[in-house]
Amino acid sequence: DIWSVGCIMVEMLTNKILYRGDDYIHQLMRILEVCGTPREEVLSSVSDNARRFISSLKYYPRSDFSELFSECSPIARDLLEKIFVYEPEVRLTADQAISHEYFVKYREPNDEPVTQPFMDPLNDNETYTSEDIRKLMFEDIVVKGEEIRKALRTKRANLLTDRERAAS
């Protein structure tokens, strides 16, 4: 997830852990202090318990990243601003992040495979047993395995066809 990449990037740039917390509540408080209190539309996508808890807290404005990350270049701060966004559909994708100006000198456009975004099959508003999760994982592995086997069969068939063309 790009959010995690942002956390690692901050640690590399500042030698500090951005969201260090003694427990999950303390860590959530650190996130709110940096990213601000989420808007109602964002809160509507989390569990009722999380929504009630966050709504019970004081309002936190989003931190000024130029102050928070003053030791970072403006380009790095711009990238971090676009990474630390609550809504996954608004947050940069991996492809968008690697295309950001910050990474221009590190890019190798001919060697940057792009995959489909991962869609978590679990609903945050549901409670799952260990058995439910095992079953969902098994089903996902079976589907992905068949997709991989199909792609390999197609690749082999194309390779054979290419060899036959070259031989004639």
Side-chain angles (χ1 to χ4, degrees):
D1 176 61
I2 294 303
W3 185 286
S4 301
V5 171
C7 293
I8 294 166
M9 186 176 165
V10 167
E11 193 168 345
M12 291 172 65
L13 292 170
T14 67
N15 290 322
K16 297 176 197 156
I17 297 172
L18 180 61
Y19 300 123
R20 180 185 297 274
D22 299 327
D23 55 40
Y24 68 96
I25 298 291
H26 188 226
Q27 189 172 37
L28 175 62
M29 300 306 294
R30 289 289 302 132
I31 292 169
L32 294 173
E33 290 166 3
V34 171
C35 297
T37 300
R39 296 183 333 274
E40 273 304 315
E41 306 86 71
V42 175
L43 287 176
S44 69
S45 66
V46 301
S47 71
D48 291 338
N49 287 340
R51 182 176 34 259
R52 277 193 299 275
F53 177 73
I54 293 170
S55 297
S56 74
L57 301 172
K58 74 175 192 168
Y59 174 81
Y60 289 92
R62 186 172 174 88
S63 292
D64 181 344
F65 279 38
S66 62
E67 288 178 18
L68 187 63
F69 304 116
S70 59
E71 65 270 44
C72 299
S73 71
I75 294 169
R77 287 194 302 264
D78 179 70
L79 178 59
L80 294 172
E81 286 265 9
K82 293 172 179 170
I83 287 174
F84 292 120
V85 175
Y86 288 121
E87 305 94 320
E89 63 277 0
V90 177
R91 186 181 314 137
L92 290 182
T93 63
D95 195 39
Q96 291 166 331
I98 199 72
S99 297
H100 188 274
E101 184 181 0
Y102 181 81
F103 291 111
V104 166
K105 61 185 172 188
Y106 306 110
R107 293 210 52 210
E108 188 60 53
N110 296 329
D111 188 27
E112 294 172 3
V114 177
T115 64
Q116 294 301 312
F118 171 74
M119 297 308 294
D120 188 348
L122 303 180
N123 179 341
D124 287 341
N125 293 318
E126 297 282 330
T127 302
Y128 296 94
T129 65
S130 296
E131 188 58 36
D132 292 337
I133 293 171
R134 275 191 208 98
K135 183 179 177 194
L136 288 167
M137 287 175 62
F138 179 77
E139 289 170 359
D140 196 43
I141 290 167
V142 168
V143 169
K144 294 284 189 290
E146 185 53 40
E147 289 171 4
I148 291 168
R149 285 188 292 279
K150 183 178 178 182
L152 285 173
R153 284 192 296 271
T154 302
K155 190 174 183 178
R156 282 188 204 120
N158 290 340
L159 184 60
L160 290 173
T161 304
D162 291 343
R163 285 183 185 160
E164 290 168 2
R165 271 191 229 126
S168 53

